[in-house]
CSV table of all heavy atoms in Angstrom, one decimal:
chain,number,residue,atom,x,y,z
A,1,GLY,N,266.2,231.1,253.9
A,1,GLY,CA,267.2,230.0,254.1
A,1,GLY,C,268.5,230.5,254.6
A,1,GLY,O,269.5,229.8,254.5
A,2,LEU,N,268.5,231.6,255.3
A,2,LEU,CA,269.8,232.2,255.9
A,2,LEU,C,269.9,232.1,257.4
A,2,LEU,O,270.9,232.5,257.9
A,2,LEU,CB,269.9,233.6,255.4
A,2,LEU,CG,270.0,233.9,253.9
A,2,LEU,CD1,269.8,235.4,253.6
A,2,LEU,CD2,271.2,233.4,253.3
A,3,ARG,N,268.8,231.7,258.1
A,3,ARG,CA,268.8,231.8,259.5
A,3,ARG,C,269.9,231.1,260.2
A,3,ARG,O,270.5,231.6,261.2
A,3,ARG,CB,267.4,231.3,260.0
A,3,ARG,CG,267.3,231.4,261.6
A,3,ARG,CD,267.4,232.9,262.0
A,3,ARG,NE,267.4,233.0,263.5
A,3,ARG,CZ,268.5,233.1,264.2
A,3,ARG,NH1,269.7,233.0,263.6
A,3,ARG,NH2,268.5,233.2,265.5
A,4,ASN,N,270.3,230.0,259.7
A,4,ASN,CA,271.4,229.2,260.3
A,4,ASN,C,272.8,229.7,259.9
A,4,ASN,O,273.8,229.2,260.5
A,4,ASN,CB,271.3,227.7,259.9
A,4,ASN,CG,270.1,227.1,260.5
A,4,ASN,OD1,269.6,227.5,261.5
A,4,ASN,ND2,269.5,226.1,259.8
A,5,ASP,N,272.9,230.7,259.0
A,5,ASP,CA,274.2,231.2,258.6
A,5,ASP,C,274.6,232.4,259.4
A,5,ASP,O,275.8,232.9,259.2
A,5,ASP,CB,274.1,231.6,257.1
A,5,ASP,CG,273.7,230.5,256.2
A,5,ASP,OD1,274.0,229.3,256.6
A,5,ASP,OD2,273.2,230.7,255.1
A,6,VAL,N,273.8,233.0,260.3
A,6,VAL,CA,274.1,234.2,261.0
A,6,VAL,C,273.6,234.2,262.4
A,6,VAL,O,272.4,233.7,262.6
A,6,VAL,CB,273.6,235.5,260.2
A,6,VAL,CG1,272.1,235.5,260.1
A,6,VAL,CG2,274.1,236.7,260.7
A,7,LYS,N,274.3,234.7,263.3
A,7,LYS,CA,273.8,234.8,264.7
A,7,LYS,C,273.1,236.2,264.8
A,7,LYS,O,273.6,237.2,264.3
A,7,LYS,CB,275.0,234.9,265.7
A,7,LYS,CG,275.8,233.6,265.8
A,7,LYS,CD,275.0,232.5,266.4
A,7,LYS,CE,275.8,231.2,266.6
A,7,LYS,NZ,275.0,230.1,267.1
A,8,VAL,N,271.9,236.2,265.4
A,8,VAL,CA,271.1,237.4,265.4
A,8,VAL,C,271.1,237.9,266.9
A,8,VAL,O,270.7,237.2,267.8
A,8,VAL,CB,269.6,237.2,265.0
A,8,VAL,CG1,268.8,238.4,265.1
A,8,VAL,CG2,269.6,236.7,263.5
A,9,MET,N,271.5,239.1,267.1
A,9,MET,CA,271.5,239.8,268.4
A,9,MET,C,270.5,240.9,268.4
A,9,MET,O,270.4,241.6,267.4
A,9,MET,CB,272.9,240.4,268.7
A,9,MET,CG,274.0,239.3,268.9
A,9,MET,SD,275.6,240.0,269.2
A,9,MET,CE,275.3,240.9,270.7
A,10,VAL,N,269.7,241.0,269.4
A,10,VAL,CA,268.7,242.1,269.5
A,10,VAL,C,268.9,243.0,270.7
A,10,VAL,O,269.5,242.5,271.7
A,10,VAL,CB,267.3,241.5,269.6
A,10,VAL,CG1,267.0,240.8,268.2
A,10,VAL,CG2,267.1,240.5,270.8
A,11,GLY,N,268.5,244.2,270.6
A,11,GLY,CA,268.6,245.1,271.7
A,11,GLY,C,267.8,246.4,271.5
A,11,GLY,O,267.1,246.5,270.5
A,12,GLY,N,267.8,247.2,272.5
A,12,GLY,CA,267.0,248.4,272.5
A,12,GLY,C,266.2,248.5,273.9
A,12,GLY,O,266.0,247.5,274.5
A,13,ALA,N,265.7,249.7,274.2
A,13,ALA,CA,265.1,250.0,275.5
A,13,ALA,C,264.0,249.0,275.9
A,13,ALA,O,264.0,248.5,277.0
A,13,ALA,CB,264.6,251.4,275.6
A,14,PRO,N,263.1,248.7,275.0
A,14,PRO,CA,262.0,247.8,275.4
A,14,PRO,C,262.3,246.4,275.3
A,14,PRO,O,261.5,245.5,275.8
A,14,PRO,CB,260.8,248.2,274.4
A,14,PRO,CG,261.6,248.5,273.2
A,14,PRO,CD,262.9,249.2,273.6
A,15,VAL,N,263.4,246.0,274.8
A,15,VAL,CA,263.7,244.6,274.5
A,15,VAL,C,264.3,243.9,275.8
A,15,VAL,O,265.0,244.6,276.6
A,15,VAL,CB,264.8,244.5,273.4
A,15,VAL,CG1,265.1,243.0,273.1
A,15,VAL,CG2,264.2,245.1,272.1
A,16,THR,N,263.8,242.7,276.0
A,16,THR,CA,264.3,242.0,277.2
A,16,THR,C,264.8,240.6,276.8
A,16,THR,O,264.6,240.2,275.6
A,16,THR,CB,263.1,241.7,278.2
A,16,THR,OG1,262.1,241.0,277.5
A,16,THR,CG2,262.5,243.1,278.6
A,17,GLN,N,265.4,239.9,277.7
A,17,GLN,CA,265.9,238.5,277.4
A,17,GLN,C,264.7,237.6,277.1
A,17,GLN,O,264.8,236.8,276.2
A,17,GLN,CB,266.6,238.0,278.6
A,17,GLN,CG,267.2,236.6,278.4
A,17,GLN,CD,268.3,236.6,277.3
A,17,GLN,OE1,269.2,237.3,277.4
A,17,GLN,NE2,268.1,235.7,276.3
A,18,SER,N,263.6,237.8,277.8
A,18,SER,CA,262.4,236.9,277.5
A,18,SER,C,261.9,237.2,276.1
A,18,SER,O,261.5,236.3,275.4
A,18,SER,CB,261.4,237.1,278.6
A,18,SER,OG,260.9,238.4,278.6
A,19,PHE,N,261.9,238.4,275.6
A,19,PHE,CA,261.4,238.8,274.3
A,19,PHE,C,262.4,238.1,273.3
A,19,PHE,O,262.0,237.5,272.3
A,19,PHE,CB,261.4,240.3,274.1
A,19,PHE,CG,261.0,240.6,272.7
A,19,PHE,CD1,259.7,240.5,272.2
A,19,PHE,CD2,262.0,241.1,271.8
A,19,PHE,CE1,259.4,240.8,270.9
A,19,PHE,CE2,261.6,241.5,270.5
A,19,PHE,CZ,260.3,241.3,270.0
A,20,CYS,N,263.7,238.3,273.6
A,20,CYS,CA,264.7,237.6,272.7
A,20,CYS,C,264.5,236.1,272.6
A,20,CYS,O,264.5,235.6,271.4
A,20,CYS,CB,266.1,237.9,273.3
A,20,CYS,SG,267.5,236.9,272.7
A,21,ASP,N,264.2,235.5,273.7
A,21,ASP,CA,263.9,234.0,273.6
A,21,ASP,C,262.6,233.8,272.9
A,21,ASP,O,262.6,232.8,272.1
A,21,ASP,CB,263.8,233.5,275.1
A,21,ASP,CG,265.1,233.6,275.9
A,21,ASP,OD1,266.2,233.8,275.2
A,21,ASP,OD2,265.0,233.6,277.1
A,22,SER,N,261.6,234.6,273.0
A,22,SER,CA,260.4,234.3,272.4
A,22,SER,C,260.4,234.4,270.8
A,22,SER,O,259.6,233.8,270.1
A,22,SER,CB,259.3,235.3,272.9
A,22,SER,OG,259.4,236.6,272.4
A,23,ILE,N,261.3,235.2,270.3
A,23,ILE,CA,261.5,235.3,268.8
A,23,ILE,C,262.6,234.5,268.3
A,23,ILE,O,263.0,234.6,267.1
A,23,ILE,CB,261.6,236.8,268.4
A,23,ILE,CG1,262.9,237.5,268.9
A,23,ILE,CG2,260.4,237.7,268.9
A,23,ILE,CD1,263.2,238.8,268.4
A,24,SER,N,263.2,233.7,269.2
A,24,SER,CA,264.3,232.8,268.8
A,24,SER,C,265.5,233.5,268.2
A,24,SER,O,266.2,233.1,267.3
A,24,SER,CB,263.8,231.8,267.7
A,24,SER,OG,262.8,231.0,268.2
A,25,ALA,N,265.8,234.7,268.8
A,25,ALA,CA,267.1,235.4,268.5
A,25,ALA,C,268.2,234.7,269.3
A,25,ALA,O,267.9,233.9,270.3
A,25,ALA,CB,267.0,236.9,268.9
A,26,ASP,N,269.4,234.9,268.9
A,26,ASP,CA,270.5,234.2,269.5
A,26,ASP,C,271.1,234.8,270.8
A,26,ASP,O,271.6,234.2,271.7
A,26,ASP,CB,271.7,234.0,268.5
A,26,ASP,CG,271.3,233.1,267.3
A,26,ASP,OD1,271.1,232.0,267.6
A,26,ASP,OD2,271.3,233.6,266.2
A,27,ALA,N,270.9,236.1,270.9
A,27,ALA,CA,271.4,236.8,272.1
A,27,ALA,C,270.8,238.2,272.2
A,27,ALA,O,270.3,238.8,271.3
A,27,ALA,CB,272.9,237.0,272.0
A,28,TYR,N,270.8,238.6,273.5
A,28,TYR,CA,270.3,240.0,273.9
A,28,TYR,C,271.3,240.6,274.8
A,28,TYR,O,272.0,239.9,275.6
A,28,TYR,CB,268.9,239.9,274.6
A,28,TYR,CG,268.7,241.0,275.5
A,28,TYR,CD1,268.2,242.2,275.0
A,28,TYR,CD2,268.8,240.9,276.9
A,28,TYR,CE1,267.9,243.3,275.8
A,28,TYR,CE2,268.6,242.0,277.7
A,28,TYR,CZ,268.1,243.2,277.2
A,28,TYR,OH,267.9,244.2,278.0
A,29,SER,N,271.5,241.9,274.7
A,29,SER,CA,272.4,242.6,275.6
A,29,SER,C,271.7,243.9,276.0
A,29,SER,O,271.1,244.6,275.1
A,29,SER,CB,273.7,242.9,275.1
A,29,SER,OG,274.5,243.6,276.0
A,30,GLN,N,271.8,244.3,277.2
A,30,GLN,CA,271.1,245.5,277.7
A,30,GLN,C,272.0,246.8,277.5
A,30,GLN,O,271.5,247.9,277.6
A,30,GLN,CB,270.6,245.5,279.1
A,30,GLN,CG,271.7,245.3,280.1
A,30,GLN,CD,271.2,245.2,281.5
A,30,GLN,OE1,270.1,245.2,281.8
A,30,GLN,NE2,272.2,245.2,282.5
A,31,ASP,N,273.2,246.6,277.1
A,31,ASP,CA,274.1,247.7,276.9
A,31,ASP,C,275.2,247.4,275.8
A,31,ASP,O,275.4,246.3,275.4
A,31,ASP,CB,274.8,248.2,278.2
A,31,ASP,CG,275.7,247.1,278.9
A,31,ASP,OD1,276.6,246.6,278.2
A,31,ASP,OD2,275.4,246.7,280.0
A,32,ALA,N,275.8,248.5,275.3
A,32,ALA,CA,276.7,248.4,274.2
A,32,ALA,C,277.9,247.6,274.5
A,32,ALA,O,278.4,246.8,273.7
A,32,ALA,CB,277.1,249.8,273.8
A,33,ALA,N,278.5,247.7,275.7
A,33,ALA,CA,279.7,247.0,276.1
A,33,ALA,C,279.4,245.5,276.2
A,33,ALA,O,280.2,244.7,275.7
A,33,ALA,CB,280.3,247.5,277.4
A,34,GLY,N,278.3,245.2,276.8
A,34,GLY,CA,277.8,243.8,276.9
A,34,GLY,C,277.7,243.2,275.5
A,34,GLY,O,278.0,242.0,275.3
A,35,ALA,N,277.1,244.0,274.6
A,35,ALA,CA,276.9,243.5,273.2
A,35,ALA,C,278.2,243.1,272.5
A,35,ALA,O,278.3,242.0,271.9
A,35,ALA,CB,276.2,244.5,272.3
A,36,ALA,N,279.2,243.9,272.7
A,36,ALA,CA,280.6,243.5,272.1
A,36,ALA,C,281.1,242.3,272.8
A,36,ALA,O,281.7,241.4,272.1
A,36,ALA,CB,281.5,244.7,272.3
A,37,GLU,N,281.0,242.1,274.1
A,37,GLU,CA,281.4,240.9,274.7
A,37,GLU,C,280.8,239.6,274.2
A,37,GLU,O,281.4,238.6,273.9
A,37,GLU,CB,281.2,241.0,276.2
A,37,GLU,CG,282.0,242.0,276.9
A,37,GLU,CD,281.6,242.2,278.4
A,37,GLU,OE1,280.8,241.5,278.9
A,37,GLU,OE2,282.0,243.2,279.0
A,38,VAL,N,279.4,239.7,274.0
A,38,VAL,CA,278.6,238.6,273.5
A,38,VAL,C,279.1,238.3,272.1
A,38,VAL,O,279.3,237.1,271.7
A,38,VAL,CB,277.1,238.9,273.5
A,38,VAL,CG1,276.4,237.8,272.8
A,38,VAL,CG2,276.6,239.0,275.0
A,39,ALA,N,279.3,239.3,271.3
A,39,ALA,CA,279.7,239.1,269.9
A,39,ALA,C,281.0,238.4,269.8
A,39,ALA,O,281.2,237.5,269.0
A,39,ALA,CB,279.8,240.5,269.2
A,40,ARG,N,282.0,238.8,270.7
A,40,ARG,CA,283.3,238.1,270.7
A,40,ARG,C,283.1,236.6,271.0
A,40,ARG,O,283.8,235.8,270.4
A,40,ARG,CB,284.2,238.8,271.7
A,40,ARG,CG,284.7,240.1,271.3
A,40,ARG,CD,285.7,240.7,272.3
A,40,ARG,NE,287.0,239.9,272.3
A,40,ARG,CZ,288.0,240.4,271.7
A,40,ARG,NH1,288.0,241.6,271.1
A,40,ARG,NH2,289.1,239.7,271.6
A,41,THR,N,282.2,236.3,271.9
A,41,THR,CA,282.0,234.8,272.2
A,41,THR,C,281.5,234.0,270.9
A,41,THR,O,281.9,232.9,270.7
A,41,THR,CB,281.0,234.6,273.3
A,41,THR,OG1,279.7,235.0,273.0
A,41,THR,CG2,281.4,235.4,274.6
A,42,PHE,N,280.7,234.7,270.1
A,42,PHE,CA,280.2,234.0,268.9
A,42,PHE,C,281.3,233.7,267.9
A,42,PHE,O,281.4,232.6,267.4
A,42,PHE,CB,279.2,234.8,268.2
A,42,PHE,CG,277.8,234.8,268.9
A,42,PHE,CD1,277.0,235.9,269.0
A,42,PHE,CD2,277.3,233.6,269.4
A,42,PHE,CE1,275.8,235.9,269.6
A,42,PHE,CE2,276.1,233.6,270.0
A,42,PHE,CZ,275.3,234.7,270.1
A,43,VAL,N,282.2,234.7,267.7
A,43,VAL,CA,283.3,234.4,266.8
A,43,VAL,C,284.4,233.5,267.4
A,43,VAL,O,285.1,232.8,266.6
A,43,VAL,CB,283.9,235.7,266.2
A,43,VAL,CG1,282.9,236.4,265.3
A,43,VAL,CG2,284.5,236.6,267.3
A,44,SER,N,284.6,233.5,268.7
A,44,SER,CA,285.6,232.7,269.3
A,44,SER,C,285.2,231.3,269.3
A,44,SER,O,286.0,230.3,269.4
A,44,SER,CB,285.9,233.2,270.7
A,44,SER,OG,284.8,232.9,271.6
A,45,CYS,N,283.9,231.0,269.1
A,45,CYS,CA,283.4,229.6,269.0
A,45,CYS,C,283.6,229.0,267.6
A,45,CYS,O,283.4,227.9,267.4
A,45,CYS,CB,281.8,229.6,269.3
A,45,CYS,SG,281.5,230.0,271.0
A,46,ASN,N,283.9,229.9,266.6
A,46,ASN,CA,284.0,229.4,265.2
A,46,ASN,C,285.3,228.6,265.0
A,46,ASN,O,286.2,228.9,265.7
A,46,ASN,CB,284.0,230.6,264.2
A,46,ASN,CG,282.6,231.2,264.2
A,46,ASN,OD1,281.6,230.6,264.6
A,46,ASN,ND2,282.5,232.5,263.6
């Protein structure tokens, strides 16, 4: 019962945006800098 309480970001060499979408994760980034940018957008929306 926690899924709606947290944004889930996925990453790693074999992970893709389509895989992210298929498992219903909230975001994917292919690099560390991009991950930080995406994370900032999540908290700025709060």
Side-chain angles (χ1 to χ4, degrees):
L2 297 169
R3 181 62 188 92
N4 294 331
D5 298 338
V6 63
K7 297 292 187 183
V8 179
M9 295 177 60
V10 294
V15 181
T16 61
Q17 183 63 57
S18 61
F19 177 75
C20 167
D21 295 339
S22 74
I23 65 171
S24 300
D26 295 295
Y28 156 77
S29 177
Q30 65 180 5
D31 59 58
E37 288 169 16
V38 173
R40 284 184 75 101
T41 66
F42 283 140
V43 293
S44 66
C45 294
N46 291 344

